[in-house]
Structures are given as C-alpha cells and as structure tokens.
Amino acid sequence: MTSFLTHRHRTKKARTRSRSSLAKFMVYAFLTLLLLTLVWTLCIHKSITMNSNDNENTNNSESAFLTSFISPSKKRPFLMPEVGNAYEIYQPVYDMDKSKLGNVLFAPPSQFIKSFSERHEWLHSITKNVIDETGKKNMPILQKAQEMYLEFLISFLSATAFNDAESQLKGSMHANKVRIQKFDASKRKGGKDWTYLGDTMVGNLRLHNIWNLLQDVSKNNIPGDYMETGVWRGGASVFARAILNTLGETDRVSYVCDSFAGLPPGDRALDAADKGWDDISFYLSVPDEIVATNFQKMGMLDSNVVFVKGFFNETMPPLSKHVDKMAVMRLDGDMYESTVDVLYHFYDKMSIGGYVIMDDWFGFPSRTAVEDFFKVHGISPAIIAIDSIAAYWKKTEEIQIQYWRYEQNKFKPDDVASKKE
C-alpha cells in the first residue's frame, strides 16, 4: 500500500512538472513571436519611410537625420545627403549606387608601404657597404617607403607610367582646335598639356606641391580639412587623400567640389575675361560617377570623402555652414567668378599657417579675382610660383570678410556699397 501511494504521488508531481514546462514553453513561444512581429513591423515602417523620402523630396535635414537614424554605423561629418535646388552635398561611399563605383584595384596604403619597406630593408642589407650618393642614406626606411608609394601614385594618376601608350591633348578654348598628339613627358612635368589616359592634368610639380603642403600642415598641427574646387577627373584630390592616409591624417575631410558639368557660362559679368570658358566643357565635363570611380579604384573612397556638386555660387554658401576649419584649399576654377565664390565663403575659415593653392595663376582671370580680394581686404601675402601656371600662398593673418561685396557683386577695389533703401 505504501509503495502504491508513493508511486501515485510521484506520478502527480511529474504531471505538475509537465504542465509547468508546457506553460513556460508557451510563454517563451509567445514572447518570441511578439519580438519577431515587432522587428518585422519596424522593417516595413523603415522601408516605407525611405521610399517616401525618395519620392517626395522632403526637407534635406529631416531626410539626412532619417538616413543617419536608420544607418547609425554611417560616419557623417554632418547631416547628409543635402540637396538644394541646384546643388548636392553627399558621400559617394554611402549615397551612390555601389554597382556603378567599380572595383578597388589597389591595396590600401598600409599594405603598399609594408611591402615597400620590406624591399628597402632587403636592399639595404645587400648594399650597406656600397657608397650612397643619393643624399638619402640616413632617411628612415618608413619615409623611403612612403615616398616610393606616393611617387608611384603620381606616375599612375598623371599617366606618365603608361609611356608611349599615353597621348596628350593640345588645349584650346574652342573644341574644333583641340588636337590629340603624341605624349611629351617634358610638358607633363609642368602641367602644360592635357592628359588623355590620366586622372589629373596638373602635372608633377603641382602634385608634389600638394604633397609638400599637406606634409607641412600635418607636421605643424595646422587644423582643418582639404578642399579642391574644380577637380576634373579627381586625380589631384585622390592624390591628396592618399597623402593624408599615408600621414595618418585620416580624420581630415576631403571636399571634392565641382559642377561635374563643365565651367559656368560667365553670364554674371563679374570680369570681361570670364566669357567663353564653357566652350571647352566637352572635355572638362566629367560626371561625378566617373570621379567617384577614380577614388574607388585607388582605394581612397571612404566616409571622409565628400562630394559637393554644382556651380560654386550655388555650393559654397551652404557648404560653408558645415565647415569649421580648412588647412589647405586648392582652387582650380580658372574664372573670376569661380574664384570669388570660394574666397568670400572660405578664406575666413582658413587656419593661420594653412595654404591656398591657385592652379590657374599666370594668365588667368582667377588671378585678377585674388588680387582684387587682396586689395579690398588690405592684405598682400607672399605669392610663391609652383611652375609657369600655378602658385600658392600661406595665410599669416586673419581678416574680416567684406561679405557685402559678394551680396552686391562688387568685388573691384573702386566699388562702393549700395545705399540701403
């Protein structure tokens, strides 16, 4: 009898445990189903919201906030993309169709430099008893490897690496006078021709100038970003990005500014020499997708590469609201109006000790714009020639920008402010 009662008691306890386990399973199953439903609902909501933003061209800031909220892993210097009536500010690495960017053809700088360092170490081991007349005997191996990498990029971006496979164009203000000719390396050094296969036409001397100035601002801890206004195929900006990466200055932003549709018509009539530049847009007009692809193939397209699309009178005012400091600005807009658009919005953001590079100095209306800017602001920095076309100067003093001149299109020294009605 005792055995029977014990067996009955154990059976009852087993049934109780079974019911308890079943109840727990039901609770877990319900919670899991509820969680899956919640996740599914959020995904549907986000998809609808994103489609709505694409179709309705909503407020730029709200759209950028939504994008950042949905993709918190994206690194944005400020809320982007920003789209106005005649401009766009965006990061190609996030905001362009990745299928159109192509493949990365080159390894990151760190891998190149590691490989080149190993090459130099090996060469040093077998030539240590050889007399070195290069003047680089005491240069650290890391510095030699960095130099090797950047010189390699110069040869590729300027297309001198292609030798006889390369051609050159003899430029002209009129399309029917442009000629494709055999490559002349002596002209390429000073940027006196237009490359056919390359990604930049600025020439070797000007590329070395970018290198030297970025090294200087890095060495002296000059705060600020890098900006190029007028980028053509993007080669000079790609090279600047490579220099910053090589120097470990990856937090500096590279602003790549261009209409990506050629030069403006010059109808603002700011200077008589501004007319006719748009006639050569057939070769100077390069779509932003091509430029982004050139960054991508070199392994330089990252979150700190920002494209600013539109004519400068449309892009510089909104961009200036997002930028605190510039360390190096490279102006390559040729024209008077393209130059004042940049100077009046960004010169006060240039750090003391930073540099302004003028790709078009000797014989261009952009020089007149700079000289007028100097005169009305009472400054006269030392101008240093790079080659027979380009020049640069170092900012050594702060000035108060006379922005009323920009608002009233009165940039000449003898212009006076209009009376307010």
Side-chain angles (χ1 to χ4, degrees):
M1 184 67 177
T2 300
S3 178
F4 172 77
L5 290 175
T6 301
H7 173 74
R8 185 176 180 184
H9 178 68
R10 288 176 178 171
T11 302
K12 185 176 181 180
K13 287 180 66 178
R15 288 173 180 171
T16 302
R17 285 197 299 270
S18 178
R19 291 192 191 101
S20 177
S21 297
L22 179 61
K24 290 180 180 178
F25 173 80
M26 293 294 289
V27 170
Y28 291 149
F30 173 78
L31 291 175
T32 301
L33 181 61
L34 181 63
L35 180 61
L36 290 172
T37 303
L38 179 60
V39 171
W40 177 256
T41 303
L42 287 173
C43 290
I44 294 295
H45 172 70
K46 289 174 183 177
S47 177
I48 292 172
T49 306
M50 290 177 72
N51 290 334
S52 175
N53 283 340
D54 290 339
N55 295 331
E56 295 178 7
N57 191 25
T58 55
N59 179 269
N60 299 330
S61 296
E62 292 177 355
S63 175
F65 174 76
L66 179 62
T67 304
S68 299
F69 177 75
I70 293 172
S71 306
S73 62
K74 293 182 178 179
K75 181 183 177 183
R76 307 263 193 190
F78 49 88
L79 298 180
M80 282 181 280
E82 180 176 317
V83 182
N85 291 331
Y87 76 90
E88 295 178 49
I89 305 175
Y90 57 96
Q91 294 161 287
V93 71
Y94 299 141
D95 304 321
M96 272 189 169
D97 183 349
K98 288 183 172 56
S99 66
K100 296 181 180 180
L101 294 178
N103 297 319
V104 177
L105 302 183
F106 291 89
S110 59
Q111 294 185 27
F112 268 104
I113 292 169
K114 180 178 182 295
S115 176
F116 292 163
S117 294
E118 292 170 352
R119 169 60 64 91
H120 274 292
E121 288 171 354
W122 172 69
L123 288 170
H124 177 72
S125 70
I126 63 175
T127 61
K128 58 186 177 181
N129 295 321
V130 176
I131 297 174
D132 188 337
E133 298 178 343
T134 65
K136 299 180 180 180
K137 180 178 180 180
N138 296 321
M139 180 185 290
I141 285 180
L142 175 60
Q143 189 176 341
K144 289 182 178 180
Q146 291 173 336
E147 179 187 47
M148 188 176 173
Y149 169 65
L150 293 174
E151 290 289 1
F152 162 72
L153 288 188
I154 287 176
S155 67
F156 182 86
L157 292 168
S158 66
T160 57
F162 304 136
N163 295 315
D164 290 342
E166 166 68 327
S167 301
Q168 66 186 35
L169 270 72
K170 183 178 180 181
S172 172
M173 289 289 286
H174 304 285
N176 61 352
K177 294 184 179 180
V178 174
R179 298 289 184 267
I180 300 178
Q181 303 174 332
K182 289 185 177 180
F183 173 51
D184 182 347
S186 64
K187 290 184 177 180
R188 186 63 49 87
K189 183 178 180 180
K192 294 181 179 180
D193 67 339
W194 292 358
T195 178
Y196 189 73
L197 297 176
D199 292 338
T200 179
M201 62 173 73
V202 305
N204 292 13
L205 292 175
R206 276 172 262 170
L207 289 172
H208 277 96
N209 171 253
I210 298 171
W211 184 354
N212 293 336
L213 298 189
L214 285 175
Q215 276 189 319
D216 184 79
V217 298
S218 174
K219 177 182 178 181
N220 293 298
N221 297 314
I222 306 300
D225 299 319
Y226 175 87
M227 179 168 72
E228 184 169 15
T229 55
V231 304
W232 194 47
R233 296 176 184 171
S237 287
V238 170
F239 184 60
R241 193 74 211 155
I243 297 167
L244 291 173
N245 287 351
T246 301
L247 295 173
E249 299 276 2
T250 55
D251 288 339
R252 294 185 193 258
V253 178
S254 295
Y255 291 98
V256 182
C257 310
D258 204 292
S259 69
F260 302 105
L263 292 161
D267 53 9
R268 290 162 66 188
L270 301 185
D271 190 87
D274 267 3
K275 284 292 184 181
W277 291 90
D278 54 329
D279 291 342
I280 52 176
S281 290
F282 81 99
Y283 198 67
L284 300 184
S285 173
V286 181
D288 53 345
E289 289 178 354
I290 297 294
V291 178
T293 299
N294 290 337
F295 271 88
Q296 175 82 341
K297 73 183 180 186
M298 304 302 294
M300 295 299 153
L301 193 61
D302 59 38
S303 61
N304 277 328
V305 174
V306 175
F307 276 31
V308 186
K309 183 178 182 179
F311 290 130
F312 301 153
N313 64 314
E314 299 285 353
T315 59
M316 294 297 104
L319 179 63
S320 66
K321 297 175 183 177
H322 300 298
V323 178
D324 293 326
K325 290 286 185 182
M326 283 290 176
V328 177
M329 293 198 307
R330 189 173 193 282
L331 281 64
D332 192 359
D334 302 279
M335 302 168 62
Y336 189 102
E337 68 172 72
S338 299
T339 304
V340 294
D341 288 333
V342 180
L343 291 177
Y344 275 85
H345 288 96
F346 280 92
Y347 198 74
D348 60 343
K349 296 180 181 292
M350 281 294 302
S351 297
I352 297 296
Y355 295 94
V356 179
I357 306 169
M358 295 297 301
D359 189 80
D360 315 296
W361 184 253
F362 296 102
F364 290 84
S366 53
R367 174 176 179 168
T368 307
V370 173
E371 291 176 338
D372 286 346
F373 182 82
F374 288 167
K375 289 176 183 177
V376 301
H377 290 97
I379 57 175
S380 55
I383 304 298
I384 303 170
I386 302 169
D387 53 26
S388 62
I389 298 174
Y392 74 97
W393 74 86
K394 185 176 186 176
K395 183 176 179 180
T396 58
E397 58 183 311
E398 297 288 2
I399 63 172
Q400 185 69 37
I401 300 293
Q402 298 180 23
Y403 195 71
W404 65 266
R405 291 182 177 275
Y406 190 83
E407 294 174 322
Q408 299 180 21
N409 283 338
K410 294 187 174 182
F411 304 105
K412 302 296 183 178
D414 56 350
D415 288 340
V416 296
S418 300
K419 293 182 180 180
K420 295 182 179 179
E421 297 181 0

